[in-house]
Amino acid sequence: MFKHLTTLILLLLIGSGIINYANAYEHEVWQSGGRYYWKTFDVERGSSTDLAVAVEGAMGDSGNRDIHILTSGTLYSTINVSRPGVRIHGHGNTFTCSFSGSGILNNGHDGFEMHNLTLRNVVGGYGIRSSSASNLSFTDLNLINIDWIGIRIDSRTSNPWNYTEYNLYMRDILVENIGSHGIETYSIDGVDFDGTMTARNTGGCGVLLNQSHNGTIETVDAYNCDWGGGYAGLRFANGCSNITAETLYADRCGRGFFIVQSGPTINCHLNYAEIRECSDVGIWIENGTNCSVESGCSESGVAVSGAGSYANVTNNCSGGGSTSYVQFQNRATGLYLDGMGRTANGETCGQYANTTHVNSQWELVDAGGGYYQLRNRGTGLFLDGMGRTNNGAECGQYANTTHVNAQWSLQQYSGNYYRLQNRGTGLFLDGLGYTANGDVVGQWANSTSQNAQWQMINVGAGSRVVATKTTVIPHLNDVPDQIGTELFYPNPTTGVLNIRLKEHGETTVAKVYDQAGQMVMSEKLTYQNSQIDVSFLKSGAYFVEVSTASGINRWKLIKQ
């Protein structure tokens, strides 16, 4: 009886917040009652009514640590990053500012990271600003209602800009209701923006790169960025070089894509654009050297000048964004039908691992009689049998034509798998068993082989991320243990976890979730044999999710 009563009292205390057993990490911040507590090295160090004080306290004297924020709350002062190697994991929580000034500042401390956090209501300052620091990483962030710039990463706090910082990584950032630019860099060498940079209602550019070099941007989705002004959804300025952006959506901005020479701007490219209803010129490249827009459309005009620069776009964006697109994934090879960026008539199509790139997206155009044309979103060409009738013949691409070689019937085979038969050749689209990125796609006579079966995956109109992102994850008990698998070992582990990718050079992300479904870490994998350090995790059960060309892999992880 006494034992049961003691258990009941403990449960009541936990529920009331008097005892908090949510603490699970070596360095963390949590809330109890009206105060925010922090600990370092598993020792509680103090408390404050200001969440900013608690976060700074968790940085300790040395930094070089993962700090886990286990509560939402109010900032009454700026969070100043005071040590190198501070990595803040927000676990989906929200910081709400209740003061005048910047939300988070880092001046001179390398290795700063922030993940899975929302910052709101910054008055009279930046959302996040980092100056004079290299090796930075920001993922899954939402910055909402910011007076100045949402995120600014620069080489120093004042002019002249005669220093350079290195290695900035961002993934899936949302900036909304921003007084000036959504995301801005200045004098950064090594820019890697994965996923989607989503900008909504900004007074300046959605994404602005100044004097930045050697980088890639996957997708920028900009809406209402300086409409009526001269800023753009995506802008390269003040001497950028060697930057390639894959996809830009820019609706109702001042300009869509803008390159202005000052430095000069060299070898900066946008592979695909959809630009609508801008108040100024949709695509404006001013005296850029070897700068381009490779494909897409601009309904707001084009102006290009500079040696080797061009914009290969149409002036109509397929009826204002109503076009739907699909991907075709081969059942046997796991690769996707891809236009490979080839824009000349007769060039071959290929296969590629899963990507959001427009070269893997196809529009179905009704050709009548139960046949369809397949127009590649990136190249603008149509999948074509090329009149080739021998087994294994390569498929090509061709400009719009009514010829039967460009017409295909979609025959449902089982579930969401289809066979695609060419009207002219009579052969079926076939992956030919090839599994390397860039391998050709061919045709084959009637066959039940999985090489001739394609899963049709809807992409939708625009493929845009328009709000904060929610990850739907299975219950931990629904994830198989996979103990001893060659792709994931050792399991259990006390520290380092090995993950073996099937393709050398494949790039993906490993995400680790706790039992409550909160993402506790995210690690980029770029090698066939990768390692991630989970030593900071509390002992217990987690699951790891890795998306690869062959699908989504999930494993239950036991951390000892």
Side-chain angles (χ1 to χ4, degrees), residues 206-252:
V207 175
L208 169 59
L209 271 62
N210 291 293
Q211 198 174 301
S212 297
H213 316 283
N214 303 313
T216 59
I217 301 171
E218 186 171 341
T219 301
V220 173
D221 184 356
Y223 175 79
N224 197 32
C225 296
D226 197 36
W227 193 86
Y231 286 119
L234 173 62
R235 179 181 177 183
F236 299 147
N238 297 309
C240 291
S241 65
N242 304 319
I243 305 287
T244 297
E246 293 292 340
T247 303
L248 168 65
Y249 306 110
D251 293 356
R252 194 177 167 79

Side-chain angles (χ1 to χ4, degrees), residues 88 90 104 113-119 128 137-144 151 170-175 196 198 468-469:
I88 297 175
I104 300 166
E113 299 184 10
M114 288 197 67
H115 308 286
N116 197 19
L117 186 70
T118 295
L119 177 66
I128 300 171
S137 179
F138 303 91
T139 68
D140 300 293
L141 301 181
N142 304 301
L143 294 104
I144 302 170
I151 301 178
M170 291 191 186
R171 188 191 70 237
D172 291 335
I173 308 294
L174 169 71
V175 287
T196 302
T198 304
T468 55
K469 300 155 281 298

Side-chain angles (χ1 to χ4, degrees), residues 254-333:
R255 295 164 179 159
F257 180 58
F258 184 27
I259 290 178
V260 57
Q261 180 190 21
S262 177
T265 300
I266 302 172
N267 296 329
C268 290
H269 306 281
L270 170 61
N271 285 335
Y272 180 82
E274 287 186 16
I275 297 172
R276 304 178 178 89
E277 298 185 36
C278 291
S279 56
D280 207 320
V281 177
I283 295 173
W284 189 338
I285 300 175
E286 182 179 303
N287 294 322
T289 301
N290 296 326
C291 297
S292 70
V293 180
E294 296 292 337
S295 63
C297 57
S298 171
E299 296 181 347
S300 305
V302 175
V304 176
S305 63
S309 296
Y310 60 90
N312 182 30
V313 297
T314 66
N315 60 8
N316 185 287
C317 293
S318 301
S322 61
T323 302
S324 294
Y325 297 91
V326 297
Q327 291 178 304
F328 290 98
Q329 183 182 24
N330 190 268
R331 190 169 191 174
T333 70

